[in-house]
Amino acid sequence: MKMISKISKIVLALTVVGSSAFAQSLADAKKAIDAEQYEKAKSMLKNLTVTQANKDENFFYYGWVYVLQDYPDSAKTIFQKGIAVNPKSALNYAGLGAVALQNKDRSTATTNFNQAVSLAGKEGEPYLYVGKSYLLNDVDGKVPAADANAAIAVLTKGKDVDKKNAQILVALGDAYRTQSKNTEALGNYQAALDLDPKLAHAKVATGVIWKYANNFEASENEYKAALAIDPNYGPAYREWAETDVRWAFSDPRMASAKIKEATDQYKKYLSLTDMSLESRLRFADFLLLSGDYKTLQTEAAALSKDAAQNLKVYRYLAYAAYENKDYAAGLKAMNTWITKADPKRIIPRDYVYLGKLQIESKQDSLGVASLRKAAELDTSNVDVYAEIAKALYGQKKYVEAGDAYKKYTEKGKGVKLTDYFYEGISYYYGYDEKSPNADSVLTKADSALSYVIQKAPTTAMAYLYRARVNELKDKDRNNIVGYAKPYYEKYIEVVTQKGGTPDDQTKRGLAEAYAYLGTIYEFKEKDDAKAAENYNKAREYDPANKQAAAYFSRKGGGAKGK
C-alpha cells in the first residue's frame, strides 16, 4: 500500500507539473498575441495543438492569430478542428463567428456568436472574443455603430458573468472609444487597471483616446507608462508612432520632427515583433498613413518576392506607385490585386486608387466607374466625389461633374472654396436651354458661386462667372432685364482695386464686362453716351471683342465717344 501511495504521489506531482507547464505555455502564447508577436504565437500554439490535442482552447487561440492576420480560411479550418475536439467549445464557435464577419456573412456570424454565448456558462472568454470580433472592422479608430453596439451588449453581459476579467473591461473600453464615448471608455480602462495594474494594454488604449482627442502629450505619457510596465511591449511603440503622425498633420511646425520620431518608434515596434511578412505589411500601412510613399514603394518592392504568400503586397505596390506618379506600374499591380485576391478582401480604397490610376492612364471612363464603385461600397466616403468630379469635368460631362462636386461640398472633408467654384462653373458649362432642368442647373451654378463670393468677396472670377450665369437668365433678348449687370460691375471693381497691369485673361474678362454694360446702356437704358463709353473700354481691353466691333459698325465708324 505504501508503494502504491508513493506511486500515486509521484503521478500526482507529475500531473501538476504537466498541467502547470501547459498553462504557462498557453499563457505565453496569449502574451505573444497581445504583444503582436504573431509568428511566435503561432509556433507555440501549433505545437500545443499537437502535444495537448485534447484542449479545444489551443485550437481557438491558434485560429485567432490567423483571424488577426486576415487569413479567415485558415482560421476557419482550425476552429472546426477545435469543435471536433470539443463539440461544445464556446470559444471556437466565437472564432467561426469572427470568420463569418470577415467574410461579410452576418447571418452565419450571428448564429455562431449565439451558440458561443449559449455554451459559455460562467466563462468570460467567449463573451470577450465575440465582442472583439465585432471590433475587427476598425478604420482609423472607428467601427460601424451597429457593430460597436453589438460588442458593447455582449461584453457587458460578459462583465457580469466574469467580474474579474480585466480583458473584458479593456475590450468594452475599446468598443466605447470607437464611438467617441470617451468617458465610458476611460472608466472601463481604469477599472481594468484596478483589477490588473500591470495591464500595459489598458495604458496604451488610454493613450489612443488622447490621440484622437489631439491631446498628444497626454497620449505619450500613457505609452511611456505602458513601457514602464513592460519595456518590450511593442504595441505601445506602434501607437506612439501613429500618434506622432497625427501630431505632425495637426501641427505643421512639428511635422518634420514628428514624422522622423514616428518612423523611429515604428522601427522599435518592428524589432519587438517577429519581422514576419504580416508585421512588414503593417509597416506598409504605417508608411501609407504617414505619407512616406517613396519608402513605401521601396518596402513594397522588397516584399514583392513574397507576394505569393500574401497578395496584399500588390495593394501597397499600387498605392505607392500612384503616389510616386509611376502610373503604369501602379495600374499593373492594382489589376493583379483586384483580379487575384478574394473579392471579400477588396476594400473601397482599392477602387479609389484603381480609378485614379485608370484616369492617369487615360482610361477616364473606366476610372470614373471605379470611383463610383468605391462610393457605392462606402457611402460615408464622400471625399471620393471630389475625384469623380475632376474626372467628369475633364471629360466635359459638366452637369454630372457639378452633381459630384455638390455631393462633395455638402458633406466632404477638407472642402475648399475652389471646389464650390468648380461646382458653379461645371453647372454653368453644362447649361442647355433645351434641357427640362435648365433652370435648376442655373440655380445650382448661381448658388455655388454666391457661396464663394460670400466667403471670399475679392474673388474676381466668381463675379465674372456669376455674371455669365445671370446673363443666361435673360432669355428674352428683346426685353433684357439686366440680371448680370451688378456682377459684371463688381468684377470690374474688384479687378481695378487690385491694381497693376491685367494679364490677357483678365483683359478679355474686362472687355466682356464692359461690352455687356454697353449692351445694357444701348438697348435697355437708351443712353448712347454711356453705351459708347463702355464699348470703347471693351475695345481698349480686347480689340477683337465682337460686341464692341458690332456697335461701332452700327454707328458707322470707330471714333471714340461717337
Side-chain angles (χ1 to χ4, degrees), residues 245-262:
V245 170
R246 189 177 177 95
W247 195 342
F249 290 155
S250 299
D251 186 353
R253 296 170 301 176
M254 304 287 286
S256 179
K258 285 300 171 184
I259 289 294
K260 182 181 183 304
E261 183 177 285

PDB file of all heavy atoms in Angstrom, residues 245-262:
ATOM      1  N   VAL A 245       2.376  60.684 -36.087  1.00  0.00           N
ATOM      2  CA  VAL A 245       1.921  61.048 -37.432  1.00  0.00           C
ATOM      3  C   VAL A 245       0.733  62.000 -37.341  1.00  0.00           C
ATOM      4  O   VAL A 245       0.674  63.027 -38.034  1.00  0.00           O
ATOM      5  CB  VAL A 245       1.547  59.792 -38.240  1.00  0.00           C
ATOM      6  CG1 VAL A 245       0.850  60.180 -39.545  1.00  0.00           C
ATOM      7  CG2 VAL A 245       2.789  58.970 -38.551  1.00  0.00           C
ATOM      8  N   ARG A 246      -0.212  61.680 -36.473  1.00  0.00           N
ATOM      9  CA  ARG A 246      -1.382  62.561 -36.302  1.00  0.00           C
ATOM     10  C   ARG A 246      -0.942  63.929 -35.789  1.00  0.00           C
ATOM     11  O   ARG A 246      -1.461  64.963 -36.223  1.00  0.00           O
ATOM     12  CB  ARG A 246      -2.366  61.914 -35.344  1.00  0.00           C
ATOM     13  CG  ARG A 246      -3.713  62.644 -35.250  1.00  0.00           C
ATOM     14  CD  ARG A 246      -4.658  61.884 -34.329  1.00  0.00           C
ATOM     15  NE  ARG A 246      -5.918  62.576 -34.160  1.00  0.00           N
ATOM     16  CZ  ARG A 246      -7.012  62.334 -34.867  1.00  0.00           C
ATOM     17  NH1 ARG A 246      -7.003  61.417 -35.797  1.00  0.00           N
ATOM     18  NH2 ARG A 246      -8.132  62.998 -34.635  1.00  0.00           N
ATOM     19  N   TRP A 247       0.019  63.951 -34.883  1.00  0.00           N
ATOM     20  CA  TRP A 247       0.563  65.198 -34.347  1.00  0.00           C
ATOM     21  C   TRP A 247       1.187  66.017 -35.479  1.00  0.00           C
ATOM     22  O   TRP A 247       0.990  67.232 -35.575  1.00  0.00           O
ATOM     23  CB  TRP A 247       1.592  64.866 -33.282  1.00  0.00           C
ATOM     24  CG  TRP A 247       2.006  66.008 -32.382  1.00  0.00           C
ATOM     25  CD1 TRP A 247       1.848  67.348 -32.612  1.00  0.00           C
ATOM     26  CD2 TRP A 247       2.629  65.892 -31.103  1.00  0.00           C
ATOM     27  NE1 TRP A 247       2.343  68.083 -31.576  1.00  0.00           N
ATOM     28  CE2 TRP A 247       2.832  67.221 -30.618  1.00  0.00           C
ATOM     29  CE3 TRP A 247       3.059  64.832 -30.325  1.00  0.00           C
ATOM     30  CZ2 TRP A 247       3.445  67.479 -29.391  1.00  0.00           C
ATOM     31  CZ3 TRP A 247       3.659  65.093 -29.102  1.00  0.00           C
ATOM     32  CH2 TRP A 247       3.852  66.396 -28.639  1.00  0.00           C
ATOM     33  N   ALA A 248       1.940  65.333 -36.341  1.00  0.00           N
ATOM     34  CA  ALA A 248       2.604  66.018 -37.462  1.00  0.00           C
ATOM     35  C   ALA A 248       1.592  66.691 -38.376  1.00  0.00           C
ATOM     36  O   ALA A 248       1.786  67.823 -38.820  1.00  0.00           O
ATOM     37  CB  ALA A 248       3.449  65.022 -38.249  1.00  0.00           C
ATOM     38  N   PHE A 249       0.487  65.995 -38.646  1.00  0.00           N
ATOM     39  CA  PHE A 249      -0.527  66.559 -39.537  1.00  0.00           C
ATOM     40  C   PHE A 249      -1.313  67.674 -38.856  1.00  0.00           C
ATOM     41  O   PHE A 249      -1.839  68.565 -39.526  1.00  0.00           O
ATOM     42  CB  PHE A 249      -1.486  65.467 -40.007  1.00  0.00           C
ATOM     43  CG  PHE A 249      -0.870  64.484 -40.966  1.00  0.00           C
ATOM     44  CD1 PHE A 249      -1.376  63.196 -41.102  1.00  0.00           C
ATOM     45  CD2 PHE A 249       0.229  64.838 -41.727  1.00  0.00           C
ATOM     46  CE1 PHE A 249      -0.806  62.289 -41.990  1.00  0.00           C
ATOM     47  CE2 PHE A 249       0.807  63.946 -42.613  1.00  0.00           C
ATOM     48  CZ  PHE A 249       0.290  62.665 -42.748  1.00  0.00           C
ATOM     49  N   SER A 250      -1.406  67.632 -37.531  1.00  0.00           N
ATOM     50  CA  SER A 250      -2.176  68.644 -36.802  1.00  0.00           C
ATOM     51  C   SER A 250      -1.383  69.923 -36.578  1.00  0.00           C
ATOM     52  O   SER A 250      -1.964  70.999 -36.428  1.00  0.00           O
ATOM     53  CB  SER A 250      -2.627  68.083 -35.439  1.00  0.00           C
ATOM     54  OG  SER A 250      -3.459  66.967 -35.614  1.00  0.00           O
ATOM     55  N   ASP A 251      -0.055  69.812 -36.539  1.00  0.00           N
ATOM     56  CA  ASP A 251       0.790  70.971 -36.255  1.00  0.00           C
ATOM     57  C   ASP A 251       1.957  70.999 -37.249  1.00  0.00           C
ATOM     58  O   ASP A 251       2.962  70.304 -37.039  1.00  0.00           O
ATOM     59  CB  ASP A 251       1.313  70.897 -34.817  1.00  0.00           C
ATOM     60  CG  ASP A 251       2.087  72.145 -34.409  1.00  0.00           C
ATOM     61  OD1 ASP A 251       2.339  73.013 -35.285  1.00  0.00           O
ATOM     62  OD2 ASP A 251       2.434  72.266 -33.216  1.00  0.00           O
ATOM     63  N   PRO A 252       1.825  71.754 -38.344  1.00  0.00           N
ATOM     64  CA  PRO A 252       2.870  71.774 -39.378  1.00  0.00           C
ATOM     65  C   PRO A 252       4.251  72.123 -38.826  1.00  0.00           C
ATOM     66  O   PRO A 252       5.269  71.683 -39.379  1.00  0.00           O
ATOM     67  CB  PRO A 252       2.374  72.858 -40.345  1.00  0.00           C
ATOM     68  CG  PRO A 252       0.891  72.899 -40.146  1.00  0.00           C
ATOM     69  CD  PRO A 252       0.682  72.613 -38.684  1.00  0.00           C
ATOM     70  N   ARG A 253       4.297  72.892 -37.742  1.00  0.00           N
ATOM     71  CA  ARG A 253       5.601  73.256 -37.172  1.00  0.00           C
ATOM     72  C   ARG A 253       6.333  72.032 -36.623  1.00  0.00           C
ATOM     73  O   ARG A 253       7.563  72.010 -36.559  1.00  0.00           O
ATOM     74  CB  ARG A 253       5.411  74.268 -36.039  1.00  0.00           C
ATOM     75  CG  ARG A 253       4.812  75.617 -36.478  1.00  0.00           C
ATOM     76  CD  ARG A 253       4.430  76.446 -35.279  1.00  0.00           C
ATOM     77  NE  ARG A 253       3.451  75.738 -34.440  1.00  0.00           N
ATOM     78  CZ  ARG A 253       2.983  76.191 -33.281  1.00  0.00           C
ATOM     79  NH1 ARG A 253       3.406  77.336 -32.800  1.00  0.00           N
ATOM     80  NH2 ARG A 253       2.099  75.495 -32.584  1.00  0.00           N
ATOM     81  N   MET A 254       5.578  71.016 -36.235  1.00  0.00           N
ATOM     82  CA  MET A 254       6.168  69.810 -35.652  1.00  0.00           C
ATOM     83  C   MET A 254       6.316  68.693 -36.682  1.00  0.00           C
ATOM     84  O   MET A 254       6.833  67.625 -36.360  1.00  0.00           O
ATOM     85  CB  MET A 254       5.278  69.316 -34.503  1.00  0.00           C
ATOM     86  CG  MET A 254       5.017  70.327 -33.408  1.00  0.00           C
ATOM     87  SD  MET A 254       6.474  70.565 -32.385  1.00  0.00           S
ATOM     88  CE  MET A 254       6.472  69.039 -31.444  1.00  0.00           C
ATOM     89  N   ALA A 255       5.842  68.940 -37.903  1.00  0.00           N
ATOM     90  CA  ALA A 255       5.689  67.856 -38.868  1.00  0.00           C
ATOM     91  C   ALA A 255       6.983  67.076 -39.101  1.00  0.00           C
ATOM     92  O   ALA A 255       7.009  65.847 -38.974  1.00  0.00           O
ATOM     93  CB  ALA A 255       5.158  68.411 -40.183  1.00  0.00           C
ATOM     94  N   SER A 256       8.055  67.768 -39.445  1.00  0.00           N
ATOM     95  CA  SER A 256       9.290  67.081 -39.798  1.00  0.00           C
ATOM     96  C   SER A 256       9.821  66.242 -38.641  1.00  0.00           C
ATOM     97  O   SER A 256      10.134  65.059 -38.806  1.00  0.00           O
ATOM     98  CB  SER A 256      10.350  68.106 -40.230  1.00  0.00           C
ATOM     99  OG  SER A 256      11.559  67.457 -40.543  1.00  0.00           O
ATOM    100  N   ALA A 257       9.880  66.840 -37.454  1.00  0.00           N
ATOM    101  CA  ALA A 257      10.418  66.142 -36.279  1.00  0.00           C
ATOM    102  C   ALA A 257       9.546  64.956 -35.900  1.00  0.00           C
ATOM    103  O   ALA A 257      10.048  63.873 -35.559  1.00  0.00           O
ATOM    104  CB  ALA A 257      10.538  67.111 -35.101  1.00  0.00           C
ATOM    105  N   LYS A 258       8.232  65.140 -35.969  1.00  0.00           N
ATOM    106  CA  LYS A 258       7.321  64.079 -35.535  1.00  0.00           C
ATOM    107  C   LYS A 258       7.283  62.910 -36.519  1.00  0.00           C
ATOM    108  O   LYS A 258       7.143  61.756 -36.109  1.00  0.00           O
ATOM    109  CB  LYS A 258       5.924  64.646 -35.310  1.00  0.00           C
ATOM    110  CG  LYS A 258       5.817  65.455 -34.010  1.00  0.00           C
ATOM    111  CD  LYS A 258       6.137  64.597 -32.805  1.00  0.00           C
ATOM    112  CE  LYS A 258       6.255  65.383 -31.518  1.00  0.00           C
ATOM    113  NZ  LYS A 258       6.671  64.521 -30.380  1.00  0.00           N
ATOM    114  N   ILE A 259       7.381  63.194 -37.814  1.00  0.00           N
ATOM    115  CA  ILE A 259       7.417  62.103 -38.790  1.00  0.00           C
ATOM    116  C   ILE A 259       8.680  61.271 -38.582  1.00  0.00           C
ATOM    117  O   ILE A 259       8.648  60.032 -38.631  1.00  0.00           O
ATOM    118  CB  ILE A 259       7.360  62.647 -40.230  1.00  0.00           C
ATOM    119  CG1 ILE A 259       5.967  63.196 -40.534  1.00  0.00           C
ATOM    120  CG2 ILE A 259       7.735  61.568 -41.235  1.00  0.00           C
ATOM    121  CD1 ILE A 259       4.869  62.143 -40.568  1.00  0.00           C
ATOM    122  N   LYS A 260       9.816  61.935 -38.339  1.00  0.00           N
ATOM    123  CA  LYS A 260      11.056  61.203 -38.077  1.00  0.00           C
ATOM    124  C   LYS A 260      10.931  60.361 -36.806  1.00  0.00           C
ATOM    125  O   LYS A 260      11.313  59.192 -36.772  1.00  0.00           O
ATOM    126  CB  LYS A 260      12.230  62.174 -37.944  1.00  0.00           C
ATOM    127  CG  LYS A 260      13.573  61.482 -37.718  1.00  0.00           C
ATOM    128  CD  LYS A 260      14.698  62.470 -37.556  1.00  0.00           C
ATOM    129  CE  LYS A 260      16.035  61.750 -37.407  1.00  0.00           C
ATOM    130  NZ  LYS A 260      16.050  60.777 -36.286  1.00  0.00           N
ATOM    131  N   GLU A 261      10.397  60.994 -35.752  1.00  0.00           N
ATOM    132  CA  GLU A 261      10.211  60.272 -34.497  1.00  0.00           C
ATOM    133  C   GLU A 261       9.270  59.086 -34.687  1.00  0.00           C
ATOM    134  O   GLU A 261       9.503  58.006 -34.137  1.00  0.00           O
ATOM    135  CB  GLU A 261       9.650  61.222 -33.432  1.00  0.00           C
ATOM    136  CG  GLU A 261       9.474  60.584 -32.059  1.00  0.00           C
ATOM    137  CD  GLU A 261       8.981  61.594 -31.029  1.00  0.00           C
ATOM    138  OE1 GLU A 261       9.801  62.423 -30.587  1.00  0.00           O
ATOM    139  OE2 GLU A 261       7.786  61.540 -30.682  1.00  0.00           O
ATOM    140  N   ALA A 262       8.221  59.297 -35.470  1.00  0.00           N
ATOM    141  CA  ALA A 262       7.252  58.228 -35.720  1.00  0.00           C
ATOM    142  C   ALA A 262       7.928  57.029 -36.390  1.00  0.00           C
ATOM    143  O   ALA A 262       7.688  55.873 -36.010  1.00  0.00           O
ATOM    144  CB  ALA A 262       6.117  58.749 -36.586  1.00  0.00           C
TER     145      ALA A 262
END
